[in-house]
Amino acid sequence: MRIITAIAEMQAVAREFRSSGTLGLVPTMGALHSGHLSLIDAAKRDCAHVVASIFVNPLQFGPNEDFSRYPRTFDADCAALTSAGIDVLFAPSAETLTPAGATTFVEVAGISDRLDGASRPGHFRGVATIVAKLFHIVAPHRAYFGQKDAAQLAVLRAMVRDLNFSVEIVACPIVREPDGLALSSRNRYLAPEQRSRATILRGALDAAADLHARGERSSHALTATMRGVFAAEPSVIVEYAAVVDPGTLLPLADTTGGALIAVAAHLGETRLIDNHLIGADHA
Ligand code: AMP
């Protein structure tokens, strides 16, 4: 695996790759786990060449968020990516990708203020700006993202549509621990007692999905069920428990046409998210 840190070199190598087959890109912030590696596997199945990126994006962290303590495990990440068999790791420095004086940002209006964007102002502007830069530098045919970050997917799909990027966004299923907790680089922040309570996010989603499977279509009823599950664990602070359109992230009154049910909750200092997609009736 070749490690590239310079933009011009990445552009040249990506150009070569594109001329000889499908090029896939897997953007990450490192601290890799099996969720990230599932994106790499999907990219490897589809594409002749795979580039992964590691960049802890300063633009997507708020002033009181965990940028400085975000886990950085570069050597272990390189070992995992080497055994996964990718062609190139693009790992630019912050100075390279976000140079002082840059004044251009990508703002996906509306969607960026919903779900996670509501409590993390500027977060999706930071995500969209850096992913747009990665798309320009690598110009992949396909880019792989996790369904785990459902709001991020909606923002990036809107960006690709609105700015005419010729990249196909591929969404990959959520990879979970055996007890249902969605894998996340932030799970390592959890103290043991928080870790055992963290399954409540999946529990709330399961309760709502079960209710839907039994015929309930009212978003209000599904939301109340999720809130009821969370109420049993007052130390877990719910940020949102929502039933929304997966494309626009706007609230839905009912789930007949399909829906994204999504939760965010705080366990101490650690913020976790999870979601579940409900298909349209008769889809
Ligand atoms: P991150 O390093 O957290 O920015 O994540 C990089 C990519 O991995 C994003 O597209 C995430 O949605 C995806 N990802 C993170 N956790 C999971 C998971 N548990 N299952 C599937 N994809 C994931």
Side-chain angles (χ1 to χ4, degrees):
M1 181 183 74
R2 181 164 164 186
I3 300 176
I4 296 179
T5 56
I7 290 173
E9 184 183 355
M10 185 67 253
Q11 285 170 318
V13 170
R15 208 174 299 123
E16 288 279 306
F17 285 160
R18 275 197 308 282
S19 66
S20 65
T22 316
L23 174 57
L25 172 68
V26 181
T28 82
M29 297 206 299
L32 301 182
H33 51 62
S34 313
H36 299 111
L37 297 177
S38 76
L39 308 187
I40 302 274
D41 287 346
K44 285 206 57 175
R45 275 197 301 275
D46 293 349
C47 305
H49 306 283
V50 175
V51 173
S53 62
I54 294 182
F55 183 66
V56 184
N57 172 12
L59 302 183
Q60 73 181 65
F61 289 81
N64 300 315
E65 293 185 355
D66 56 347
F67 175 68
S68 54
R69 70 177 185 123
Y70 194 82
R72 287 159 172 90
T73 59
F74 192 71
D75 292 343
D77 292 348
C78 287
L81 292 171
T82 303
S83 25
I86 62 163
D87 299 273
V88 165
L89 167 60
F90 181 46
S93 68
E95 295 70 35
T96 301
L97 210 55
T98 50
T103 53
T104 307
F105 299 92
V106 176
E107 181 118 26
V108 182
I111 299 183
S112 292
D113 298 329
R114 299 173 194 145
L115 292 189
D116 310 286
S119 65
R120 304 185 73 188
H123 170 68
F124 286 125
R125 182 173 99 140
V127 171
T129 301
I130 290 302
V131 172
K133 286 168 72 83
L134 292 172
F135 285 176
H136 282 306
I137 294 164
V138 179
H141 297 102
R142 292 165 171 230
Y144 294 78
F145 295 90
Q147 179 60 39
K148 157 94 183 339
D149 295 274
Q152 170 172 277
L153 264 176
V155 167
L156 294 178
R157 284 192 162 123
M159 177 186 84
V160 163
R161 179 197 64 206
D162 294 349
L163 297 183
N164 308 100
F165 280 98
S166 50
V167 57
E168 180 189 345
I169 300 277
V170 182
C172 299
I174 301 175
V175 177
R176 298 176 179 281
E177 299 282 5
D179 66 1
L181 177 65
L183 294 188
S184 163
S185 305
R186 291 188 167 97
N187 290 351
R188 69 188 73 197
Y189 298 152
L190 298 169
E193 70 278 7
Q194 293 173 328
R195 169 63 188 83
S196 54
R197 285 182 207 127
T199 53
I200 199 164
L201 279 84
R202 173 64 185 272
L205 294 170
D206 281 352
D210 284 353
L211 197 59
H212 175 86
R214 284 187 270 120
E216 180 63 65
R217 294 291 177 269
S218 149
S219 298
H220 183 262
L222 267 53
T223 306
T225 294
M226 291 194 279
R227 295 253 170 213
V229 171
F230 279 117
E233 197 54 82
S235 68
V236 176
I237 309 300
V238 184
E239 183 184 305
Y240 63 72
V243 178
V244 300
D245 179 299
T248 64
L249 306 183
L250 285 168
L252 287 172
D254 70 74
T255 56
T256 313
L260 172 72
I261 48 179
V263 293
H266 296 256
L267 288 85
E269 300 277 285
T270 306
R271 179 179 182 276
L272 299 180
I273 58 172
D274 202 348
N275 68 82
H276 177 83
L277 270 176
I278 290 176
D281 285 355
H282 316 296

